[in-house]
Amino acid sequence: MKKAVILLLVLCVCLPGTGWAQERKVNLGDLIRETQQQNLSPEKMSIIWWIPLQFWQISLKQNGALSNEAIDKLLSVLRPYLFLVVAEGNVGPVGDITYKSEETLRTGLKVLDARGRSYEPLPSDKVSEDVNNFVQMMRPILSGGMGPFGENLRFFLFPARDSAGVEIADAVSDNDFDVQLGERRFHWRLPLGSLLPPKVCPDDGELLNGAWTYCPWHGTKLKPLEAPAAPAKSAPG
């Protein structure tokens, strides 16, 4: 029943190079874990994966198949949208799952920003043709090798910004957001630590989550990680 773990493994296999991003030292596995939420019970399973723009940027750069210019163009196409991948189903007595249809999920799905304002999924005719095509290309990547679970992963797109132009779910801000799926609510605490440099506990020097303010063991305020000193230049001979 650890479907989120399976999804993580498949993504790491399907997207070559998913380990450490060279520019920011971001562990893509940690980013995926931070952006997935799940609710598993003997009767029902629900999984939601919020895909921030940083995921596309990091994974594409690690993949190495596209030039920086091509990546920037793709990101400009994706930037107006907030991406969710959702699966939910009822678990039968022998572990079989009856998945909900895309239409059923859509009627009970909404995003709530830090102020509690809600946003509904965009209909396909309100999404650009390029992004609709991109989603169709992504479906076999997510579903390949995962059987019925993968086939029932549904993409939903929302506006990335509110009417004032403020990003609804900004991965590096401190504005949390929620996703309502039927009667269940899923909460994302921001910023995402995987996208921030680690911080240092002044008591023992341990590197900790960059989104944390205090050490959970000592209660001491964490310090920023100092950049390594540049090597000294040798004097001209």
Side-chain angles (χ1 to χ4, degrees):
M1 290 296 294
K2 297 296 184 181
K3 298 294 187 181
V5 176
I6 297 174
L7 178 55
L8 168 61
L9 293 175
V10 170
L11 284 166
C12 289
V13 171
C14 293
L15 297 171
T18 53
W20 290 87
Q22 297 301 315
E23 293 182 2
R24 299 190 61 183
K25 304 292 185 184
V26 175
N27 186 300
L28 192 58
D30 288 344
L31 175 58
I32 293 173
R33 278 185 285 270
E34 275 195 290
T35 51
Q36 286 186 17
Q37 300 272 354
Q38 60 180 322
N39 191 314
L40 305 178
S41 72
E43 296 82 23
K44 181 178 287 188
M45 59 81 65
S46 306
I47 291 177
I48 301 178
W49 182 30
W50 163 49
I51 313 181
L53 194 68
Q54 289 88 342
F55 170 81
W56 304 118
Q57 182 180 32
I58 293 167
S59 59
L60 288 169
K61 285 190 175 183
Q62 289 182 15
N63 183 287
L66 298 178
S67 66
N68 287 337
E69 181 181 2
I71 292 174
D72 289 342
K73 287 182 179 179
L74 177 57
L75 294 178
S76 69
V77 171
L78 302 180
R79 188 168 283 111
Y81 304 98
L82 186 161
F83 282 74
L84 294 182
V85 177
V86 181
E88 185 173 65
N90 297 317
V91 182
V94 294
D96 55 310
I97 301 175
T98 303
Y99 290 96
K100 294 185 178 180
S101 68
E102 182 172 339
E103 293 74 17
T104 300
L105 292 175
R106 181 179 291 273
T107 59
L109 182 65
K110 60 183 177 179
V111 170
L112 298 97
D113 66 16
R115 297 184 180 182
R117 295 172 297 192
S118 64
Y119 306 85
E120 296 182 352
L122 294 169
S124 59
D125 61 357
K126 297 296 183 181
V127 176
S128 73
E129 182 179 357
D130 287 337
V131 173
N132 277 324
N133 290 337
F134 178 78
V135 168
Q136 293 304 317
M137 292 171 58
M138 286 298 299
R139 289 184 190 276
I141 295 178
L142 291 178
S143 62
M146 291 193 291
F149 170 68
E151 295 171 2
N152 285 278
L153 289 169
R154 311 296 187 184
F155 273 85
F156 296 96
L157 277 65
F158 296 78
R161 297 179 180 274
D162 63 18
S163 58
V166 177
E167 197 163 354
I168 295 170
D170 182 357
V172 293
S173 79
D174 57 359
N175 291 323
D176 297 357
F177 77 100
D178 294 82
V179 172
Q180 187 79 35
L181 180 60
E183 298 178 353
R184 302 185 181 190
R185 181 172 290 199
F186 300 80
H187 181 72
W188 274 264
R189 189 179 300 279
L190 301 178
L192 298 178
S194 57
L195 295 177
L196 301 176
K199 292 179 182 177
V200 181
C201 175
D203 288 352
D204 59 9
E206 184 178 357
L207 296 180
L208 298 172
N209 191 305
W212 296 353
T213 302
Y214 295 93
C215 174
W217 295 278
H218 301 101
T220 310
K221 189 170 184 178
L222 301 177
K223 295 183 177 181
L225 179 65
E226 295 182 3
K233 296 182 179 179
S234 57

